[in-house]
Amino acid sequence: MAPSFKPVEPFDIVVFGGTGDLALRKLLPGLYHRDLDGQLEPQVRIFGAARGTLTREGYQKMVREALKQFVKEADLERAKVDAFIERLQFVRVDASGDAGWDDLRAALEEGTPNDIRVFYLAVGPGLFGTICKKLAEHDLRTPGTRIVIEKPLGTDFASAQAINDAVGEHFEEHQIFRIDHYLGKESVQNLVVLRFANRLFEPIWNATAIDHVQITVAEDLGAGERAGYYDQSGATRDMVQNHILQMLCLVAMEPPASLDADALRDEKLKVLRSLRPIVGDDVRSKTVRGQYRGGAIDGKPVPGYLEELNGHVSTTETFVVVKAEIENWRWNGVPFYLRTGKRLPSRHSEIVIQFKSVPHSIFGEATGGLTANRLVLRLQPNESVKLFMTIKDPGPGGLRLRDVPLNLSFAETFHIRYPDAYERLLMDVVRGNASLFMRKDEVAAAWRWIDPIRQGWEDFNMTPKLYAAGSWGPTDATALIARDGRNWYEDAI
Ligand code: NAP
């Protein structure tokens, strides 16, 4: 049975950067899908804003093309697409200048404006503060206004604070939605449900039963044409500070008193503040930096990172491993191995909760031996949740044990479409539900943990180790976990 969706309150949304990649690939297709499922009331209006010279028709044509490219053909119902396109307007605004702001206000005030007004800043973070200031100066804020911003939220603690301060000068914290799209993924939310809606897991969700946790975000693509941009950030800032630490928080947090946004975020913050700082010699033993050189993916040769940078010398890491430890009762002695990189053998993200083995095995070698349980949450591709259990191999051929996954995925069982993370998050912004968005103190705490690691790399001159594109990173990454008598779950792919 297809799920039914309740419409959200009518809203106006202005997408700054409405002609950019994020808007055309994710935000507008996401809004289209919500429209298709009946969640957008007829009064909903969508405004694209950018500096380019475009007519309304020109913009509508651009978005129609984007839908063709980024929405599955089966979901492109002619009448629905036409109705969605009719919602679109375009306003030429230069976010860093004075041109266009009055036109934007006029467009928003025309007809019957909706009480809920969302400004989505799909532009570089350098413009966040300026846009907020202009919105205030040009009287574009209403009580129902929300502002949405996204990574990169700074490059370190100080720059993140500067962004938060600049936005916070004009908007209350409850109006600011800092998107981390990983939190909108179905399987990430399922993690919270699995933990807190089932009696089964919570009593063993601790150092007594869990051996370690692995969080991997692997990409097979390289930095490619965006290498110049990527070079300013690198794997740690791009992935670990935000997505990976947010996932770690959801795995590790104490049960919140409710799903209320602040109750949840208070618990996540406690985790971030309990992370053992990685400083001094620990930087050498608990982190690995890598950078891909040329290699092959799926048998096809691919260039190295420096070649993509046209030979420019760079010590930016395209791969990183961090062994994180949480200093509290629940997680004492349970490492969280965090790993992310570009040009790895496949594109997949997953969280592996590795349980301990049973204290004593009554099964002899001939049975095939025991494998400890593990819970694997696959975030992409094909979101899924699997609990690996040991069962008896069926049949009379003697007692043999087998490790099999118990599939806990709703979508695979019922063949429904998993909505893209942005779809849910956009609807949550409209609803004013900030549970899945980062509060400013979380962003600050994450940077406070990351900054000393980066400082340590500089102090020890720890330049990235090279790894061949198409491999699982430098051998140091294998050595780091092997020193603890463990290995990466590449076989779970
Ligand atoms: P993009 O493709 O370069 O698009 C940038 C958009 O901003 C364009 O519409 C551009 O149009 C507009 N713009 C630039 N300067 C402007 C100004 N002064 N006033 C008004 N509009 C302006 O970039 P993107 O990939 O969409 O990314 C946008 C932001 O989101 C970046 O900070 C990026 O890091 C972040 N982000 C992107 C993704 C993604 O999947 N793409 C994911 C997460 C985060 P005009 O040049 O015509 O003004």
Side-chain angles (χ1 to χ4, degrees):
M1 195 180 68
S4 63
F5 297 96
K6 241 173 79 187
V8 292
E9 258 191 78
F11 61 95
D12 292 329
I13 181 168
V14 179
V15 182
F16 285 96
T19 55
D21 176 71
L22 177 61
L24 296 176
R25 199 162 50 83
K26 289 288 179 187
L27 307 180
L28 291 156
L31 286 168
Y32 168 73
H33 269 294
R34 293 303 87 224
D35 203 4
L36 193 63
D37 282 337
Q39 274 196 289
L40 305 196
E41 296 281 17
Q43 306 93 303
V44 170
R45 303 183 300 173
I46 303 168
F47 302 82
R51 291 168 305 180
T53 324
L54 271 178
T55 58
R56 180 178 187 192
E57 290 69 34
Y59 187 55
Q60 290 178 330
K61 193 162 168 254
M62 180 187 270
V63 176
R64 201 183 275 277
E65 287 303 313
L67 294 186
K68 272 193 208 151
Q69 203 180 339
F70 300 115
V71 175
K72 271 208 273 178
E73 207 180 328
D75 292 332
L76 289 173
E77 292 174 31
R78 182 72 202 218
K80 296 278 190 184
V81 173
D82 288 349
F84 178 77
I85 293 293
E86 234 356 81
R87 298 178 185 279
L88 294 164
Q89 300 187 40
F90 181 78
V91 188
R92 196 173 169 208
V93 184
D94 180 359
S96 47
D98 276 321
W101 294 96
D102 291 336
D103 297 338
L104 179 59
R105 197 180 60 239
L108 279 165
E109 285 176 0
E110 203 182 306
T112 319
N114 290 305
D115 288 344
I116 297 174
R117 186 177 278 188
V118 178
F119 293 107
Y120 199 118
L121 312 194
V123 291
L127 290 173
F128 293 170
T130 319
I131 292 180
C132 292
K133 186 162 173 267
K134 298 277 179 195
L135 292 174
E137 281 173 5
H138 291 268
D139 213 11
L140 280 149
R141 293 174 302 175
T142 57
T145 292
R146 296 112 162 79
I147 198 105
V148 188
I149 55 178
E150 178 153 2
K151 76 168 194 184
L153 296 175
T155 52
D156 56 14
F157 172 71
S159 54
Q161 285 296 87
I163 291 175
N164 280 329
D165 290 348
V167 176
E169 208 178 314
H170 305 287
F171 292 93
E172 304 281 339
E173 180 63 21
H174 70 86
Q175 295 181 291
I176 306 168
F177 290 77
R178 297 175 190 81
I179 278 206
D180 185 322
H181 71 274
Y182 269 70
L183 296 184
K185 289 181 180 290
E186 203 71 24
S187 41
V188 173
Q189 289 163 51
N190 218 344
L191 169 63
V192 176
V193 177
L194 274 180
R195 283 192 61 191
F196 304 128
N198 296 289
R199 191 74 180 83
L200 207 61
F201 289 111
E202 211 40 31
I204 54 166
W205 204 261
N206 53 46
T208 315
I210 293 178
D211 179 72
H212 73 279
V213 175
Q214 295 184 14
I215 304 179
T216 294
V217 177
E219 295 178 275
D220 53 352
L221 293 178
E225 285 172 11
R226 295 178 84 93
Y229 161 78
Y230 183 83
D231 202 51
Q232 311 299 311
S233 107
T236 314
R237 287 167 164 159
D238 193 41
M239 286 289 172
V240 183
Q241 185 273 340
N242 37 55
H243 309 314
I244 292 184
L245 283 185
Q246 282 293 317
M247 290 190 273
L248 175 147
C249 285
L250 292 181
V251 173
M253 71 182 180
E254 294 301 313
S258 72
L259 267 190
D260 169 76
D262 278 332
L264 198 80
R265 298 186 297 180
D266 285 346
E267 295 307 333
K268 287 198 289 159
L269 181 64
K270 280 187 213 160
V271 175
L272 290 168
R273 288 184 173 161
S274 308
L275 283 169
R276 176 178 295 169
I278 299 183
V279 289
D281 273 345
D282 279 353
V283 177
R284 280 200 264 238
S285 61
K286 293 182 181 167
T287 72
V288 174
R289 294 179 87 195
Q291 188 186 78
Y292 60 87
R293 54 178 171 77
I297 302 232
D298 287 336
K300 293 194 190 94
V302 291
Y305 181 65
L306 295 186
E307 290 162 70
E308 288 174 335
L309 279 174
N310 297 323
H312 166 72
V313 178
S314 167
T315 55
T316 298
E317 77 282 357
T318 60
F319 175 96
V320 64
V321 165
V322 180
K323 178 181 170 183
E325 289 152 303
I326 300 169
E327 294 187 301
N328 65 20
W329 277 42
R330 186 190 282 264
W331 296 114
N332 182 42
V334 180
F336 283 64
Y337 299 101
L338 316 179
R339 172 175 68 157
T340 184
K342 287 190 178 291
R343 284 287 188 224
L344 300 183
S346 66
R347 172 179 176 263
H348 83 279
S349 304
E350 66 189 10
I351 302 173
V352 179
I353 316 287
Q354 177 62 61
F355 290 91
K356 290 184 174 167
S357 304
V358 293
H360 168 70
S361 173
I362 58 168
F363 305 99
E365 297 246 319
T367 60
L370 276 180
T371 312
N373 300 124
R374 65 182 182 276
L375 180 67
V376 179
L377 291 106
R378 169 67 65 86
L379 315 180
Q380 62 189 23
N382 309 326
E383 294 190 47
S384 67
V385 183
K386 288 183 177 152
L387 178 62
F388 286 78
M389 314 268 294
T390 303
I391 57 155
K392 177 191 171 297
D393 220 0
L399 182 63
R400 288 184 317 270
L401 305 181
R402 199 205 284 190
D403 188 30
V404 289
L406 196 62
N407 191 347
L408 306 175
S409 308
F410 190 73
E412 277 186 31
T413 315
F414 295 97
H415 304 290
I416 60 157
R417 168 186 171 268
Y418 266 173
D420 185 73
Y422 280 96
E423 295 178 39
R424 158 175 268 272
L425 295 172
L426 280 163
M427 294 300 95
D428 277 355
V429 171
V430 175
R431 292 186 196 102
N433 179 0
S435 302
L436 298 175
F437 297 81
M438 291 178 294
R439 212 166 50 191
K440 73 172 173 195
D441 46 9
E442 285 181 79
V443 176
W447 279 121
R448 277 188 193 282
W449 188 69
I450 292 290
D451 282 355
I453 297 177
R454 296 183 48 79
Q455 186 60 49
W457 290 339
E458 217 175 292
D459 295 346
F460 293 123
N461 196 19
M462 263 179 75
T463 50
K465 298 271 168 68
L466 291 179
Y467 62 96
S471 73
W472 279 107
T475 48
D476 290 22
T478 314
L480 181 145
I481 195 166
R483 279 199 298 275
D484 293 345
R486 303 184 174 103
N487 58 284
W488 295 106
Y489 278 106
E490 275 131 32
D491 57 348
I493 294 160

Short mmCIF file of all heavy atoms in Angstrom, two decimals, residues 41-68:
data_model
loop_
_atom_site.label_atom_id
_atom_site.label_comp_id
_atom_site.label_asym_id
_atom_site.label_seq_id
_atom_site.Cartn_x
_atom_site.Cartn_y
_atom_site.Cartn_z
N GLU A 41 0.05 22.47 -1.07
CA GLU A 41 -1.25 23.08 -1.32
C GLU A 41 -1.15 23.93 -2.59
O GLU A 41 -0.06 24.40 -2.95
CB GLU A 41 -1.64 23.98 -0.14
CG GLU A 41 -1.86 23.24 1.17
CD GLU A 41 -3.22 22.54 1.24
OE1 GLU A 41 -3.87 22.35 0.20
OE2 GLU A 41 -3.60 22.17 2.37
N PRO A 42 -2.29 24.19 -3.25
CA PRO A 42 -2.24 24.97 -4.49
C PRO A 42 -1.61 26.36 -4.31
O PRO A 42 -1.02 26.91 -5.24
CB PRO A 42 -3.72 25.12 -4.88
CG PRO A 42 -4.44 24.05 -4.13
CD PRO A 42 -3.64 23.72 -2.91
N GLN A 43 -1.69 26.93 -3.11
CA GLN A 43 -1.16 28.29 -2.90
C GLN A 43 0.36 28.35 -2.83
O GLN A 43 0.94 29.44 -2.78
CB GLN A 43 -1.66 28.88 -1.57
CG GLN A 43 -3.16 28.89 -1.36
CD GLN A 43 -3.63 27.65 -0.62
OE1 GLN A 43 -3.37 26.54 -1.06
NE2 GLN A 43 -4.33 27.82 0.50
N VAL A 44 1.04 27.19 -2.75
CA VAL A 44 2.51 27.22 -2.59
C VAL A 44 3.17 27.91 -3.79
O VAL A 44 2.83 27.61 -4.95
CB VAL A 44 3.05 25.77 -2.44
CG1 VAL A 44 4.58 25.74 -2.53
CG2 VAL A 44 2.59 25.17 -1.12
N ARG A 45 4.10 28.82 -3.49
CA ARG A 45 4.81 29.52 -4.57
C ARG A 45 6.32 29.32 -4.41
O ARG A 45 6.83 29.30 -3.29
CB ARG A 45 4.49 31.02 -4.52
CG ARG A 45 3.00 31.31 -4.62
CD ARG A 45 2.72 32.80 -4.64
NE ARG A 45 3.20 33.48 -3.45
CZ ARG A 45 3.19 34.81 -3.28
NH1 ARG A 45 2.73 35.59 -4.23
NH2 ARG A 45 3.64 35.37 -2.17
N ILE A 46 6.99 29.17 -5.55
CA ILE A 46 8.44 28.91 -5.52
C ILE A 46 9.14 29.99 -6.34
O ILE A 46 8.80 30.19 -7.51
CB ILE A 46 8.75 27.51 -6.10
CG1 ILE A 46 7.98 26.43 -5.33
CG2 ILE A 46 10.25 27.23 -6.11
CD1 ILE A 46 7.99 25.06 -5.99
N PHE A 47 10.12 30.65 -5.72
CA PHE A 47 10.85 31.73 -6.40
C PHE A 47 12.31 31.33 -6.53
O PHE A 47 12.96 31.06 -5.53
CB PHE A 47 10.77 33.03 -5.60
CG PHE A 47 9.36 33.51 -5.35
CD1 PHE A 47 8.61 32.99 -4.31
CD2 PHE A 47 8.80 34.49 -6.16
CE1 PHE A 47 7.31 33.43 -4.07
CE2 PHE A 47 7.50 34.94 -5.93
CZ PHE A 47 6.75 34.39 -4.89
N GLY A 48 12.81 31.31 -7.74
CA GLY A 48 14.25 31.14 -7.94
C GLY A 48 14.88 32.52 -7.93
O GLY A 48 14.31 33.46 -8.51
N ALA A 49 16.03 32.68 -7.28
CA ALA A 49 16.71 33.97 -7.29
C ALA A 49 18.18 33.76 -7.61
O ALA A 49 18.83 32.86 -7.05
CB ALA A 49 16.57 34.65 -5.92
N ALA A 50 18.69 34.54 -8.54
CA ALA A 50 20.12 34.48 -8.91
C ALA A 50 20.42 35.74 -9.72
O ALA A 50 19.52 36.54 -9.98
CB ALA A 50 20.40 33.22 -9.73
N ARG A 51 21.71 35.89 -10.09
CA ARG A 51 22.08 37.12 -10.80
C ARG A 51 21.79 37.06 -12.29
O ARG A 51 21.74 38.07 -12.97
CB ARG A 51 23.57 37.39 -10.61
CG ARG A 51 23.95 37.79 -9.21
CD ARG A 51 25.44 37.74 -9.04
NE ARG A 51 25.96 36.42 -9.41
CZ ARG A 51 27.22 36.08 -9.37
NH1 ARG A 51 28.12 36.94 -9.00
NH2 ARG A 51 27.59 34.86 -9.72
N GLY A 52 21.67 35.83 -12.81
CA GLY A 52 21.52 35.64 -14.26
C GLY A 52 20.29 36.36 -14.81
O GLY A 52 19.33 36.62 -14.09
N THR A 53 20.36 36.68 -16.12
CA THR A 53 19.21 37.33 -16.76
C THR A 53 18.29 36.24 -17.29
O THR A 53 18.62 35.56 -18.25
CB THR A 53 19.68 38.19 -17.96
OG1 THR A 53 20.94 38.75 -17.62
CG2 THR A 53 18.68 39.25 -18.32
N LEU A 54 17.16 36.07 -16.67
CA LEU A 54 16.23 35.02 -17.09
C LEU A 54 14.82 35.57 -16.97
O LEU A 54 14.50 36.28 -16.02
CB LEU A 54 16.32 33.82 -16.13
CG LEU A 54 17.32 32.71 -16.38
CD1 LEU A 54 17.24 31.69 -15.25
CD2 LEU A 54 17.04 32.02 -17.71
N THR A 55 13.99 35.21 -17.92
CA THR A 55 12.57 35.53 -17.77
C THR A 55 11.93 34.42 -16.93
O THR A 55 12.56 33.38 -16.69
CB THR A 55 11.87 35.55 -19.13
OG1 THR A 55 12.07 34.25 -19.71
CG2 THR A 55 12.44 36.63 -20.04
N ARG A 56 10.69 34.64 -16.54
CA ARG A 56 9.98 33.59 -15.81
C ARG A 56 9.91 32.33 -16.68
O ARG A 56 10.19 31.22 -16.22
CB ARG A 56 8.57 34.07 -15.45
CG ARG A 56 7.80 33.02 -14.71
CD ARG A 56 6.43 33.48 -14.30
NE ARG A 56 5.81 32.48 -13.45
CZ ARG A 56 4.54 32.48 -13.11
NH1 ARG A 56 3.75 33.43 -13.52
NH2 ARG A 56 4.05 31.51 -12.36
N GLU A 57 9.58 32.53 -17.96
CA GLU A 57 9.45 31.38 -18.88
C GLU A 57 10.80 30.67 -19.02
O GLU A 57 10.87 29.45 -19.07
CB GLU A 57 8.96 31.82 -20.28
CG GLU A 57 7.51 32.29 -20.34
CD GLU A 57 7.30 33.63 -19.59
OE1 GLU A 57 8.23 34.47 -19.60
OE2 GLU A 57 6.23 33.80 -18.98
N GLY A 58 11.85 31.46 -19.10
CA GLY A 58 13.19 30.88 -19.24
C GLY A 58 13.53 30.01 -18.04
O GLY A 58 14.09 28.91 -18.16
N TYR A 59 13.17 30.50 -16.87
CA TYR A 59 13.46 29.74 -15.65
C TYR A 59 12.60 28.48 -15.60
O TYR A 59 13.08 27.39 -15.27
CB TYR A 59 13.19 30.62 -14.41
CG TYR A 59 13.62 29.94 -13.13
CD1 TYR A 59 14.93 29.47 -12.97
CD2 TYR A 59 12.73 29.75 -12.08
CE1 TYR A 59 15.33 28.85 -11.80
CE2 TYR A 59 13.13 29.12 -10.91
CZ TYR A 59 14.43 28.67 -10.77
OH TYR A 59 14.84 28.04 -9.62
N GLN A 60 11.34 28.63 -15.99
CA GLN A 60 10.46 27.46 -15.98
C GLN A 60 11.00 26.38 -16.92
O GLN A 60 10.96 25.20 -16.61
CB GLN A 60 9.04 27.89 -16.37
CG GLN A 60 8.38 28.73 -15.28
CD GLN A 60 6.99 29.20 -15.65
OE1 GLN A 60 6.68 29.42 -16.82
NE2 GLN A 60 6.14 29.37 -14.64
N LYS A 61 11.53 26.84 -18.06
CA LYS A 61 12.07 25.88 -19.03
C LYS A 61 13.29 25.17 -18.42
O LYS A 61 13.45 23.95 -18.55
CB LYS A 61 12.47 26.65 -20.29
CG LYS A 61 12.75 25.79 -21.47
CD LYS A 61 12.70 26.62 -22.76
CE LYS A 61 13.27 25.80 -23.89
NZ LYS A 61 14.59 26.19 -24.32
N MET A 62 14.11 25.97 -17.74
CA MET A 62 15.32 25.41 -17.12
C MET A 62 14.94 24.33 -16.09
O MET A 62 15.54 23.25 -16.04
CB MET A 62 16.09 26.55 -16.43
CG MET A 62 17.35 26.14 -15.74
SD MET A 62 18.05 27.55 -14.81
CE MET A 62 19.11 28.29 -16.00
N VAL A 63 13.94 24.62 -15.29
CA VAL A 63 13.54 23.66 -14.24
C VAL A 63 12.87 22.44 -14.88
O VAL A 63 13.08 21.31 -14.44
CB VAL A 63 12.62 24.35 -13.20
CG1 VAL A 63 12.12 23.34 -12.18
CG2 VAL A 63 13.37 25.49 -12.51
N ARG A 64 12.09 22.66 -15.93
CA ARG A 64 11.46 21.51 -16.62
C ARG A 64 12.54 20.55 -17.11
O ARG A 64 12.44 19.34 -16.97
CB ARG A 64 10.62 22.03 -17.79
CG ARG A 64 9.55 21.08 -18.27
CD ARG A 64 8.83 21.66 -19.47
NE ARG A 64 7.74 22.56 -19.13
CZ ARG A 64 6.50 22.17 -18.81
NH1 ARG A 64 6.22 20.89 -18.79
NH2 ARG A 64 5.56 23.05 -18.53
N GLU A 65 13.61 21.12 -17.69
CA GLU A 65 14.72 20.28 -18.17
C GLU A 65 15.37 19.53 -17.00
O GLU A 65 15.71 18.36 -17.09
CB GLU A 65 15.80 21.15 -18.85
CG GLU A 65 15.40 21.68 -20.21
CD GLU A 65 15.02 20.55 -21.17
OE1 GLU A 65 15.77 19.56 -21.24
OE2 GLU A 65 13.95 20.67 -21.81
N ALA A 66 15.53 20.25 -15.88
CA ALA A 66 16.15 19.63 -14.70
C ALA A 66 15.29 18.47 -14.21
O ALA A 66 15.81 17.41 -13.84
CB ALA A 66 16.34 20.66 -13.60
N LEU A 67 13.98 18.65 -14.22
CA LEU A 67 13.11 17.55 -13.76
C LEU A 67 13.28 16.34 -14.68
O LEU A 67 13.35 15.20 -14.22
CB LEU A 67 11.64 17.99 -13.74
CG LEU A 67 11.25 19.08 -12.73
CD1 LEU A 67 9.74 19.29 -12.74
CD2 LEU A 67 11.70 18.75 -11.32
N LYS A 68 13.37 16.62 -15.98
CA LYS A 68 13.56 15.50 -16.93
C LYS A 68 14.83 14.74 -16.62
O LYS A 68 14.92 13.53 -16.74
CB LYS A 68 13.65 16.05 -18.36
CG LYS A 68 12.30 16.18 -19.03
CD LYS A 68 12.53 16.42 -20.50
CE LYS A 68 11.36 17.22 -21.06
NZ LYS A 68 11.71 18.07 -22.18
#
